[in-house]
């Protein structure tokens, strides 16, 4: 985000909520971190592990999973096999999440998760592909769009932190049309979501 876009965000926010405009102004321009270095399989695995957990709890479980993979001298995504399922569960991963990790590994192996191919798809087409994988839901697809594929205009309305913080700036009448107010920031709603995570101190996968 450059200074001009930040200024535009502050101006847009001022039409909705003075306190929202002030907080965005104080936060300054933000840069959404890229997670591409993880690779698409490992990224999806990390998002699945962290779903519905605090940032601290997610980091702890991911750390255990990383250690278990290193102990077998393999990558996390290659560690996610039926033979290692008990070890995955021992790291604190739930049964359902464990099954999702196996499904992600299978998708990597059969060629459904080739980054260059997915990158050529529209966000809607890419989401459809991801949602076919067992355990991958809309929230996971939105996180992938924002942090892996750097899509600038994703509003993850299934994320409780984002919705809760944004609604905090709206009055009762406005909260009934929260998505419409978020749409005022298009085509840069991913940045609005990132501001909400920062203000909630709950940035995913940090």
């Amino acid at each position: 985000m450059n200074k001009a876009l930040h200024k535009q965000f502050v101006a847009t926010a001022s039409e909705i909520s003075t306190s929202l405009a002030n907080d965005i102004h104080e936060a300054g321009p933000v840069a959404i971190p890229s997670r591409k270095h993880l690779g698409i399989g490992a990224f999806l695995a990390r998002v699945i592990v962290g779903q519905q957990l605090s940032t601290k709890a997610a980091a702890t479980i991911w750390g255990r999973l990383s250690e278990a993979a290193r102990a077998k001298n393999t990558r996390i995504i290659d560690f996610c096999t039926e033979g290692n399922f008990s070890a995955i569960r021992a790291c604190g991963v739930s049964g359902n999440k464990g099954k999702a990790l196996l499904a992600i590994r299978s998708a990597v192996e059969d060629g459904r998760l080739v980054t260059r191919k997915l990158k050529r798809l529209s966000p809607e087409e890419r989401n459809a592909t991801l949602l076919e994988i067992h355990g991958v839901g809309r929230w996971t697809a939105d996180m992938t769009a924002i942090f892996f594929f750097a899509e600038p205009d994703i509003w993850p309305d299934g994320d409780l932190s984002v919705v809760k913080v944004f609604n905090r700036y709206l009055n009762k009448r406005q909260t009934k049309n929260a998505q419409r107010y978020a749409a005022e920031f298009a085509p840069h709603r991913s940045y609005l979501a990132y501001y909400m995570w920062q203000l909630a101190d709950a940035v995913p996968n940090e």
Side-chain angles (χ1 to χ4, degrees):
M1 170 183 277
N2 55 35
K3 291 182 178 180
L5 182 56
H6 176 249
K7 184 176 180 180
Q8 179 183 322
F9 256 61
V10 173
T12 301
S14 67
E15 298 294 322
I16 299 171
S17 162
T18 300
S19 57
L20 176 61
N22 289 340
D23 284 348
I24 289 177
H25 174 74
E26 289 297 321
V30 294
I32 298 176
S34 172
R35 308 296 187 206
K36 288 181 68 175
H37 65 281
L38 293 173
I40 184 66
F43 175 83
L44 285 169
R46 185 166 184 177
V47 173
I48 290 291
V49 166
Q51 191 170 13
Q52 296 180 327
L53 294 177
S54 69
T55 302
K56 183 178 180 180
T60 297
I61 294 173
W62 184 254
R64 292 173 187 161
L65 198 58
S66 298
E67 287 182 14
R70 280 197 298 270
K72 291 203 172 186
N73 196 30
T74 188
R75 301 181 307 166
I76 285 181
I77 197 62
D78 294 326
F79 180 72
C80 297
T81 64
E82 287 282 359
N84 291 326
F85 193 75
S86 294
I88 292 170
R89 295 280 284 112
C91 293
V93 179
S94 70
N96 286 336
K97 288 183 179 181
K99 291 176 182 177
L101 297 187
L102 301 191
I104 290 167
R105 182 179 186 275
S106 178
V108 169
E109 287 189 320
D110 66 24
R112 282 177 287 162
L113 290 176
V114 177
T115 300
R116 67 179 181 276
K117 292 180 180 179
L118 292 172
K119 191 174 179 62
R120 288 198 292 263
L121 301 177
S122 69
E124 293 76 18
E125 292 171 328
R126 191 184 305 128
N127 278 359
T129 299
L130 295 177
L131 292 173
E132 290 177 353
I133 301 171
H134 173 80
V136 174
R138 183 57 188 253
W139 182 82
T140 300
D142 283 343
M143 297 306 101
T144 305
I146 294 171
F147 293 103
F148 193 86
F149 289 104
E151 294 290 349
D153 194 34
I154 304 297
W155 180 243
D157 55 10
D159 188 284
L160 296 180
S161 292
V162 166
V163 172
K164 182 177 180 180
V165 175
F166 189 60
N167 283 348
R168 197 167 69 200
Y169 291 103
L170 308 179
N171 59 41
K172 289 184 178 180
R173 177 182 58 80
Q174 290 174 316
T175 55
K176 295 178 181 178
N177 297 290
Q179 286 195 31
R180 181 173 70 80
Y181 287 101
E184 295 294 319
F185 294 87
H188 302 287
R189 285 174 290 179
S190 296
Y191 289 102
L192 177 63
Y194 196 72
Y195 274 118
M196 298 303 100
W197 280 313
Q198 282 202 322
L199 292 166
D201 193 27
V203 178
N205 307 313
E206 284 281 275

